[in-house]
Amino acid sequence: MANGWSIIIGLVVVLLACGAAWFFSPKGETQTIWRSSLILSFASCYIMWAITFLAQWHPLIVPRRNDLRAGAIHES
Amino acid sequence: MVHHQDTMFRSADMSMVQLYIANEIGREIVNALGELGQIQFRDLNSDVTAFQRTFTQEIRRLDNVERQLRYFHTQMEKAGIPLRKIDLDVDTLAAPSASEIDELADRSQALEQRVASLNDSYETLKKREVELTEWRCVLREAGGFFDRAHGNVEEIRLSNDNDDAPLLQDVEQHGHGQNGDAERSFSVMNIGFVAGVIPRERVAAFERILWRTLRGNLYMNQSEIPEPLVDPTNNEEVSKNVFVIFAHGKEIIAKIRKISESLGADLYSVDENSDLRRDQIHEVNTRLGDLGNVLRNTKTTLDAELTQIAQSLAAWMVIIKKEKAVYQTLNLFSYDHARKTLIAEAWCPTNSLPVIKSTLHDVNNRAGLSVPSIINEIRTNKTPPTYQKTNKFTEGFQTIINAYGTAKYQEVNPGLPTIVTFPFLFAVMFGDLGHGFLMVCAAAAMIYWEKKLKKVRDELFSMAFYGRYIMLMMGIFSMYTGLIYNDVFSKSLSIFPSAWEWTPESDWKEGATVNATLTSSYRYPVGLDWMWHDTENDLLFSNSYKMKLSILMGWCHMTYSLCLSYINARHFKTPIDIWGVFVPGMIFFQAIFGYLVFTIVYKWSIDWNAIKEPAPGLLNMLIYMFLSPGKVEERLYAGQGPIQVFLVLIAIVQVPILLFLKPFYLRWEHNRARAKGYRGIGETSRVSALDGDDDDSNTLDGRQSLASDSEGVAMITQDIGDEEHEEFEFSEVMIHQVIHTIEFCLNCVSHTASYLRLWALSLAHQQLSVVLWTMTLANGFSATGPIGVVLVVVTFAGWFFLTIAVLVVMEGTSAMLHSLRLHWVEAMSKHFMGDGIPFEPFSFRQMLEEDESAAQIT
């Protein structure tokens, strides 16, 4: 499901959303505000998500804990 | 000339206009323009003092009316009559005619006299009433003294004769037994008396002074009046004592009178004879009753008068304030005596010109004047004011920018990206789905009840209310970043299956350490994997992640801001700012920090375990990139050494370009212009603009026909002398550029490091919410049974309150301030010039909003 390609797919989706924001922003005085805010929001959110995804793509350390009960181990 | 629509991207196009208005309708036109609020008048009489201006008389008269209205207001407050407030958004007051203003002035004059006279008579009557009440008290109390004193005449005499005798014998002891010789009059014995009232706090001093001056030759009786008396002059309650002093001899009595009066006592005549006293009391009571009636009548008349005024006082106040503002504006105009026209100069947004024109036309038509009002756009080389048009959503964000500085006319307005970047950077620090949700709720409530809450005048609340849309955006983005951080009130969500699986060793038993392993190539799709939650090394992981996140975010934000300086250079048509400042700056920044960002992403995308190589530390790599260029200790990728040497070299080369290209280009350009014979305007002795020989055309825009109108021309041209023309000074440009270069290069480092605050604050926020949870609700959940139920309720209350107070309000404020700093310092230093003049239009709405006294009536 979610592997390395997700970054590219996410980028495409966000670019499409940005395009849509550009063309479908309500006309009139506030058009610039709509366009700028929507596109910047999409971009910021994508960057945040992509960074988080990349950081977990090839992790160098693994989760470790010593307070698990026997039952909890196979639940997850 | 076709004008494009004004957007928030730049400040609006401005035009300097000149208005010719017939004197008769000047007032009406200014009134209409004040309602419009789109025009800023320039002072054409700056060399005339405030007292010498044309409409000083009118303003003084209106000041007087305003004072009268304020007097009514204080009278109402004194009488506790509520003012009928007006809502400026709903009640639009039609512009009053001059005669209506006169009528209002006369009316308020008459009303003031009436209210003042009513007040005076009320006060006099009240004073009289207090006097009568005091007298009645004296009569009543003194009666008792006399009865007792009659029995003690001998003793009084004795005490007066004998200096050793105590002044105030215990009266009670000898009280009523000896009434037999009560018939003997004091006068027979040559004993006089003084009766009156005195404020209670002065009694001790009074006694002492009397004792010392009379050497004990007196007999004093006093008692407290139980109910306090009201002083009519200042409405304060004073408790007083009644006293009667008996003494021997006329001189002593006179002395006592003097002392009492000087100490603020009021003396009243009391008759010795008990029958006469009774008559006196009777008479006083009747007079008090009459007075009470009159008082009540006066009070009701006064209240009725004030209540009637209260109905329309607010509207009058607004009308007078507007009228005053109109005359103050008219004082800025210049008057042409020959043509009987008023001439005004003003800035207005170019796109508002049609509205202003039609307003002028309307007023003119209504007045039925044959002479039209003329409005001309004039060309000028003055810097237009910066006008950022806002709506209620963008207003708060624009205020963030304006608090730092006013943007230069038509430079890129940082307020536009701030709508997103400010709340987003806030959210990176504040990220928690739960806390974000609380914030969204608060903001949404303020927006939903916007109309009602607008009226609340609490300083702290109105500040939060002003930023309600900022809060909304901050809350929404905090919810998103909370989702990414996988934090809801310090707990995690497990929406998707984890990428990790616990894989205990074969000999594992409870309490031993377990490691997790990745199950497949599947990775947690949105945000941090919840398996990290509560592990031993989750901080190790999240710190590394958030630190890199901060650097990446900072890089994006700064690169974006730097690009805005390119747009500015394009707009102002200064290509040297592109080639001499923007390009070398950008290359310098990207060669170092762009490269750092690349290595971070590159390191993440390589599966170091699979290729069986150690992952290199990026911090050391960056440090050694400068300390020992070309030498790579831990390899990140093939050919790393030469590439890094190239990047360092290219960055170093940018420094001299940044330093010298712009100043030397400007000098070359300046010299070339001089060689061709052009000179600066200020350099030659210029022919006076008044002569009309000045073809510089920075004044007249094809209006030569008006050149004979010497005063009009003088108006436009009068302050060309102080135009902001700058002499080219190479040393100045060079120093400026040196400062800019040093600042830019150092700031690249320090600003990137500054973005690490994103990591620090988000770590602090997350840890604080963990601590709060374990100290409150976790305890509540650990107990069982009925105690557990109570404990959960109690600890939940504590947890919820602290979450709001500490985590949302306090932490939110701190994150907001940090986000503010990142915008003002880190981002805006990359492009913001900020030497603009704010546009301050003449607007009634704005004037009333800023007026403190108007705030009380709306």
Side-chain angles (χ1 to χ4, degrees):
Chain A
M1 186 171 133
N3 54 31
W5 283 105
S6 306
I7 295 287
I8 309 294
I9 297 165
L11 183 64
V12 171
V13 169
V14 164
L15 285 178
L16 286 176
C18 287
W22 181 269
F23 290 108
F24 297 119
S25 283
K27 300 263 181 312
E29 272 197 336
T30 53
Q31 192 181 35
T32 314
I33 299 170
W34 276 109
R35 281 179 175 172
S36 148
S37 304
L38 284 175
I39 292 174
L40 261 177
S41 302
F42 291 146
S44 315
C45 289
Y46 170 74
I47 292 169
M48 181 98 185
W49 169 82
I51 290 170
T52 314
F53 189 89
L54 279 170
Q56 299 180 91
W57 193 12
H58 298 303
L60 296 169
I61 57 172
V62 297
R64 191 177 69 226
R65 63 194 294 176
N66 57 11
D67 53 353
L68 283 180
R69 281 174 286 119
I73 283 187
H74 297 291
E75 268 174 23
S76 49
Chain B
M1 194 167 151
V2 180
H3 287 287
H4 55 87
Q5 199 172 27
D6 292 327
T7 63
M8 206 193 166
F9 189 57
R10 299 182 191 291
S11 64
D13 280 326
M14 300 301 268
S15 299
M16 165 85 92
V17 293
Q18 200 170 35
L19 295 110
Y20 295 84
I21 306 161
N23 194 25
E24 296 91 323
I25 56 163
R27 199 183 135 273
E28 283 74 15
I29 286 210
V30 173
N31 223 321
L33 291 176
E35 294 291 352
L36 201 63
Q38 286 286 327
I39 194 162
Q40 175 184 354
F41 292 101
R42 293 185 56 221
D43 190 359
L44 298 181
N45 307 316
S46 47
D47 49 344
V48 181
T49 62
F51 304 106
Q52 295 169 324
R53 297 196 177 201
T54 327
F55 299 99
T56 316
Q57 282 303 323
E58 278 81 353
I59 291 175
R60 242 182 237 157
R61 198 180 69 151
L62 291 167
D63 269 333
N64 189 39
V65 179
E66 209 185 349
R67 180 192 58 73
Q68 287 164 344
L69 296 181
R70 272 202 304 272
Y71 170 73
F72 299 148
H73 193 209
T74 47
Q75 289 300 321
M76 273 171 222
E77 274 175 352
K78 218 163 139 191
I81 295 168
L83 185 79
R84 194 173 68 98
K85 299 190 168 190
I86 54 166
D87 191 343
L88 291 175
D89 300 334
V90 182
D91 307 336
T92 43
L93 303 160
S97 67
S99 62
E100 276 170 331
I101 296 287
D102 290 342
E103 209 174 289
L104 179 56
D106 292 344
R107 195 157 163 208
S108 90
Q109 181 72 34
L111 278 174
E112 191 202 17
Q113 273 165 9
R114 177 143 175 74
V115 170
S117 72
L118 274 173
N119 248 326
D120 277 351
S121 57
Y122 183 75
E123 248 170 51
T124 331
L125 289 171
K126 198 83 192 166
K127 209 184 227 161
R128 191 83 200 106
E129 189 191 26
V130 170
E131 276 170 15
L132 283 174
T133 321
E134 282 180 357
W135 194 12
R136 189 169 61 179
C137 289
V138 172
L139 285 170
R140 201 181 288 148
E141 301 290 330
F145 298 146
F146 281 122
D147 291 345
R148 270 167 285 169
H150 273 300
N152 300 349
V153 173
E154 269 317 302
E155 241 170 277
I156 298 169
R157 284 197 66 129
L158 269 176
S159 73
N160 281 348
D161 295 341
N162 182 2
D163 283 349
D164 299 332
L167 173 68
L168 295 168
Q169 283 266 5
D170 191 337
V171 181
E172 295 301 316
Q173 219 172 340
H174 305 281
H176 307 281
Q178 307 167 326
N179 270 345
D181 46 2
E183 295 306 312
R184 290 162 65 190
S185 173
F186 290 122
S187 53
V188 177
M189 317 189 60
N190 202 13
I191 292 177
F193 64 90
V194 176
V197 293
I198 188 164
R200 196 164 294 159
E201 67 263 25
R202 296 217 185 125
V203 167
F206 183 50
E207 277 178 354
R208 213 172 305 127
I209 290 171
L210 280 176
W211 174 257
R212 283 188 190 150
T213 41
L214 304 179
R215 305 209 182 109
N217 288 322
L218 78 164
Y219 176 74
M220 183 172 173
N221 250 317
Q222 56 169 316
S223 76
E224 295 180 355
I225 302 175
E227 70 276 9
L229 298 158
V230 179
D231 185 353
T233 46
N234 49 11
N235 268 342
E236 274 174 23
E237 292 201 332
V238 193
S239 30
K240 289 186 170 177
N241 278 14
V242 172
F243 64 84
V244 180
I245 300 163
F246 300 96
H248 195 65
K250 272 199 177 122
E251 291 84 40
I252 293 183
I253 292 291
K255 228 182 216 176
I256 294 175
R257 279 180 176 280
K258 246 183 224 163
I259 292 171
S260 336
E261 270 159 11
S262 67
L263 274 169
D266 297 309
L267 301 182
Y268 294 98
S269 74
V270 178
D271 209 282
E272 207 183 303
N273 187 316
S274 62
D275 288 338
L276 281 175
R277 241 179 11 242
R278 206 169 304 128
D279 288 349
Q280 267 180 329
I281 291 188
H282 192 69
E283 194 199 325
V284 166
N285 276 341
T286 355
R287 276 164 73 182
L288 259 177
D290 293 348
L291 201 59
N293 279 337
V294 180
L295 259 177
R296 229 167 311 152
N297 282 340
T298 317
K299 178 80 181 150
T300 33
T301 325
L302 182 62
D303 282 2
E305 201 75 55
L306 285 175
T307 320
Q308 211 188 353
I309 297 175
Q311 289 301 311
S312 35
L313 184 69
W316 293 350
M317 210 90 126
V318 171
I319 288 173
I320 291 299
K321 275 181 198 300
K322 281 184 180 178
E323 189 71 8
K324 215 173 98 182
V326 166
Y327 280 115
Q328 272 161 355
T329 308
L330 281 172
N331 265 345
L332 303 178
F333 293 7
S334 132
Y335 181 57
D336 182 348
H337 290 279
R339 287 158 193 267
K340 299 229 182 306
T341 45
L342 288 163
I343 302 164
E345 262 180 48
W347 284 110
C348 69
T350 311
N351 282 335
S352 303
L353 263 176
V355 192
I356 293 169
K357 273 182 187 157
S358 69
T359 309
L360 289 185
H361 195 70
D362 282 354
V363 176
N364 232 36
N365 280 356
R366 232 179 295 143
L369 230 62
S370 54
V371 194
S373 302
I374 304 165
I375 180 165
N376 292 317
E377 209 178 329
I378 50 177
R379 260 196 294 180
T380 174
N381 54 358
K382 275 187 151 317
T383 318
T386 309
Y387 175 46
Q388 317 277 17
K389 208 172 171 196
T390 54
N391 53 32
K392 61 182 178 178
F393 174 71
T394 53
E395 190 186 12
F397 297 100
Q398 190 61 51
T399 309
I400 292 176
I401 302 302
N402 290 350
Y404 183 78
T406 308
K408 186 186 169 98
Y409 176 63
Q410 295 235 314
E411 80 164 303
V412 172
N413 175 16
L416 184 62
T418 300
I419 295 173
V420 173
T421 53
F422 179 82
F424 195 84
L425 287 181
F426 167 88
V428 173
M429 296 181 263
F430 192 76
D432 188 302
L433 191 62
H435 300 156
F437 179 69
L438 291 178
M439 193 169 259
V440 168
C441 288
M446 280 196 276
I447 290 164
Y448 187 77
W449 285 292
E450 208 165 47
K451 286 226 169 77
K452 263 189 243 164
L453 293 172
K454 210 175 175 180
K455 303 272 180 291
V456 179
R457 299 204 185 269
D458 173 71
E459 204 180 337
L460 262 177
F461 177 78
S462 49
M463 213 154 76
F465 180 74
Y466 189 75
R468 62 198 180 279
Y469 287 101
I470 304 180
M471 250 170 93
L472 181 75
M473 295 292 278
M474 293 195 304
I476 292 171
F477 282 126
S478 297
M479 285 175 71
Y480 176 76
T481 51
L483 190 74
I484 294 288
Y485 290 154
N486 215 338
D487 270 334
V488 190
F489 299 121
S490 83
K491 296 288 140 191
S492 61
L493 290 171
S494 45
I495 306 171
F496 301 101
S498 172
W500 299 92
E501 193 180 53
W502 295 115
T503 45
E505 319 251 316
S506 49
D507 57 342
W508 181 83
K509 54 186 186 299
E510 274 185 28
T513 304
V514 205
N515 284 332
T517 46
L518 287 167
T519 47
S520 61
S521 71
Y522 163 79
R523 294 292 178 274
Y524 197 71
V526 177
L528 274 181
D529 201 319
W530 47 266
M531 276 285 268
W532 283 105
H533 191 78
D534 266 350
T535 54
E536 278 173 29
N537 51 357
D538 71 331
L539 271 188
L540 204 66
F541 179 76
S542 69
N543 277 349
S544 150
Y545 150 65
K546 283 183 180 173
M547 208 186 317
K548 285 167 182 167
L549 170 84
S550 313
I551 298 290
L552 262 62
M553 281 288 172
W555 174 79
C556 292
H557 194 204
M558 285 190 287
T559 307
Y560 181 88
S561 306
L562 204 54
C563 288
L564 296 182
S565 78
Y566 167 74
I567 297 173
N568 274 337
R570 279 279 301 272
H571 181 79
F572 293 119
K573 301 204 170 54
T574 48
I576 187 59
D577 278 329
I578 299 177
W579 300 110
V581 181
F582 168 71
V583 169
M586 192 57 129
I587 293 175
F588 182 85
F589 183 60
Q590 299 307 339
I592 301 170
F593 294 99
Y595 179 65
L596 176 67
V597 164
F598 162 76
T599 54
I600 289 174
V601 175
Y602 181 78
K603 188 182 158 186
W604 274 338
S605 358
I606 299 299
D607 191 351
W608 298 95
N609 292 326
I611 60 170
K612 305 253 181 317
E613 263 185 66
L618 294 180
L619 194 62
N620 280 339
M621 182 217 77
L622 192 68
I623 293 169
Y624 285 114
M625 180 170 153
F626 291 97
L627 291 187
S628 54
K631 223 175 91 199
V632 178
E633 306 243 322
E634 294 166 305
R635 207 177 69 114
L636 189 67
Y637 57 91
Q640 191 185 0
I643 286 181
Q644 287 185 0
V645 172
F646 171 72
L647 287 173
V648 170
L649 281 179
I650 206 170
I652 290 170
V653 167
Q654 303 313 312
V655 178
I657 298 179
L658 252 177
L659 261 179
F660 299 117
L661 186 56
K662 187 181 170 185
F664 279 96
Y665 172 80
L666 286 180
R667 193 173 76 151
W668 172 76
E669 195 181 50
H670 175 73
N671 288 344
R672 189 187 57 170
R674 287 192 75 121
K676 283 186 180 170
Y678 290 108
R679 277 166 187 278
I681 302 170
E683 282 179 85
T684 52
S685 64
R686 192 164 45 86
V687 185
S688 169
L690 298 176
D691 299 344
D693 291 82
D694 192 348
D695 288 339
D696 240 3
S697 96
N698 53 3
T699 56
L700 292 178
D701 181 17
R703 300 212 49 80
Q704 294 300 336
S705 57
L706 269 178
S708 57
D709 182 355
S710 60
E711 196 161 1
V713 180
M715 211 72 51
I716 323 167
T717 50
Q718 63 181 353
D719 38 19
I720 282 180
D722 53 57
E723 284 302 337
E724 49 279 295
H725 169 71
E726 273 174 36
E727 200 68 25
F728 180 78
E729 187 93 50
F730 179 69
S731 60
E732 219 166 272
V733 176
M734 192 67 220
I735 288 170
H736 185 262
Q737 193 61 23
V738 168
I739 293 172
H740 174 82
T741 308
I742 295 174
E743 214 177 49
F744 181 83
C745 295
L746 293 182
N747 280 353
C748 277
V749 182
S750 66
H751 285 178
T752 308
S754 181
Y755 276 91
L756 285 174
R757 74 186 67 234
L758 295 177
W759 158 53
L761 265 100
S762 107
L763 174 73
H765 185 81
Q766 196 249 340
Q767 289 299 303
L768 208 62
S769 65
V770 170
V771 168
L772 183 66
W773 180 279
T774 43
M775 283 177 65
T776 54
L777 262 184
N779 292 327
F781 287 140
S782 63
T784 52
I787 302 169
V789 174
V790 177
L791 211 57
V792 165
V793 172
V794 171
T795 50
F796 176 79
W799 172 82
F800 191 70
F801 172 74
L802 285 176
T803 295
I804 301 247
V806 179
L807 290 176
V808 178
V809 176
M810 263 174 60
E811 278 275 281
T813 314
S814 124
M816 213 175 75
L817 291 178
H818 280 282
S819 180
L820 207 60
R821 184 220 140 93
L822 287 178
H823 280 80
W824 283 350
V825 181
E826 274 72 20
M828 276 161 80
S829 70
K830 300 283 182 293
H831 67 95
F832 191 62
M833 292 180 255
D835 51 358
I837 313 152
F839 177 57
E840 286 154 343
F842 169 61
S843 155
F844 288 146
R845 173 175 291 270
Q846 209 165 321
M847 175 197 80
L848 291 171
E849 265 168 24
E850 282 161 13
D851 196 323
E852 296 261 331
S853 58
Q856 295 169 352
I857 57 167
T858 51

